Every structure is written in C-alpha cells, then in structure tokens.
Amino acid sequence: MNRDNGFESQRASMVDYQLRSRGIESPLVLEAMGRVAREQFVPRRMRDCAYDDGPLPIGAGQTISQPYIVALMTEALDLEGGEKVLDIGTGSGYAAAVLGCIAGQVFSIERVQELADRAARTLVAEGFENVEVRCGDGTMGWPEHRPYDGIVVAAGAPAVPDSLKDQLAVGGHLVIPVGSEHSVQSLMRVTRLAEDEFRTENLGAVRFVPLLGEQGWS
C-alpha cells in the first residue's frame, strides 16, 4: 500500500536543502534521514508540516526536534553501523528511528509515560525492531545495557550527568546540550578517551527543553 502522498519527495528535499546544504556529510546519516517517515512521528493534524525546517509540538509540552538538529546530533556520534546507542528523551521516537537505521541496538528513555507508549507503538509500526523504549529518568541512563558506543540527549542539562559518562564506552561519544534551563545552550560532545579521561568539544548553540531528573534540572 502506498502511504506516501507526496511525503517521499518532501523527505528528499529536506535531505538536500536542510541537511546537505548545511554541511551534514555522513552517508549513513543522510540515508537514515531519507529513509525515516517523519510524518508518522508527528500528530496527524500536523503531518503536512512534517518536513518543515523547525521543531513541532507532539503533546505533553514536548517537541519533535528540527530535522537538521537530529541529523547534526546523530552525525556527531560518529557511528559506523552496528553500534549500541543510548537515546535520552525519546519524545515522538523520530530520532530513535534515525539512530535505529544505523546502530545495531538503540535503547531509548522517555520521562513521560504517554509519549513513551506512543513512541514505542510508532516504532514497532514502522518496523524498528532494534529500538527499545522505556519510561524513566534519562539522567540516570540505562545501566543494564552499558557500555554504549554512543549516547545522545535531546534535552538541555545544567552539566553533563556523571551517570551517562560512566555508561559510555571507551572511544564512544556523548552528545548533549548543556547550559541555561530557559535559554540557549551549547551542544557538547564528550569523548571517552580512557577509563578516567574525557575530551569535551563545543559544537555550537542550540535550544532544547530542560532535562529533568536526578542529575538534571529538578
């Protein structure tokens, strides 16, 4: 059955004009962004806006991130395919789906039960059997499946949670917005160089909802 209704061409345009033109280069990321049906991860009434160049509301005071930001954060993980990734802030499940096109396993945590349940249903319906979603405190990670080759956080933290750094594999990358609760944050990439050695890079300014939890905002 053809569900496209023009979305495939919108998706291709998004990849060309919102991603490639802004410097997204990873073939794996571009392929994943061109594959995931973003329209399935937004509220039905907003599907005509699914490929707009910006975030969209998904309920419970949360948003689905701008396509470029999803691509930027995914590319910053420097995945080669088949890795194990932790995704904090499932939201609609869209970013987890993009990660699921590249990684071997994706473990995704969402604080709001309603969103976690909806995202899990959508991911199953879209065929992402390698993505597992649970409701919980994302700042504490998912230690049962550590270590992770990549960790990505879709909410702004006051500082990089130690619990997430602890769950990162040596050589792995943690990508997280850090800064003020209600204004612009810095997108940070933390690379674990050794058991007790980390390198931190600033990838630029972003704006996300606050990361709530034991090692985030209260």
Side-chain angles (χ1 to χ4, degrees), residues 15-85:
V15 170
D16 284 338
Y17 297 109
Q18 297 181 35
L19 308 184
R20 281 197 180 94
S21 68
R22 287 179 175 147
I24 300 298
E25 298 179 345
S26 166
L28 289 175
V29 173
L30 293 169
E31 181 182 0
M33 295 292 292
R35 172 182 161 191
V36 178
R38 184 174 165 91
E39 69 274 9
Q40 299 299 321
F41 292 87
V42 302
R44 186 173 297 276
R45 70 183 186 281
M46 305 202 71
R47 286 187 177 174
D48 287 346
C49 304
Y51 295 97
D52 285 3
D53 188 16
L56 294 170
I58 57 172
Q62 305 299 305
T63 60
I64 181 173
S65 295
Q66 175 188 15
Y68 170 71
I69 292 295
V70 174
L72 176 67
M73 295 176 76
T74 303
E75 186 171 63
L77 292 176
D78 199 23
L79 302 175
E80 296 180 354
E83 295 90 347
K84 181 166 55 175
V85 175

Side-chain angles (χ1 to χ4, degrees), residues 142-186:
W142 199 330
E144 294 91 332
H145 301 291
R146 63 180 293 180
Y148 298 96
D149 303 300
I151 301 175
V152 63
V153 183
V160 181
D162 287 336
S163 56
L164 298 184
K165 292 171 68 175
D166 288 344
Q167 292 173 42
L168 189 64
V170 173
H173 302 293
L174 162 60
V175 178
I176 180 172
V178 176
S180 171
E181 186 176 5
H182 298 296
S183 63
V184 172
Q185 300 120 6
S186 296

Side-chain angles (χ1 to χ4, degrees), residues 181-196:
E181 186 176 5
H182 298 296
S183 63
V184 172
Q185 300 120 6
S186 296
L187 185 63
M188 310 303 292
R189 177 167 64 181
V190 179
T191 303
R192 190 168 202 165
L193 302 176
E195 191 65 27
D196 297 313

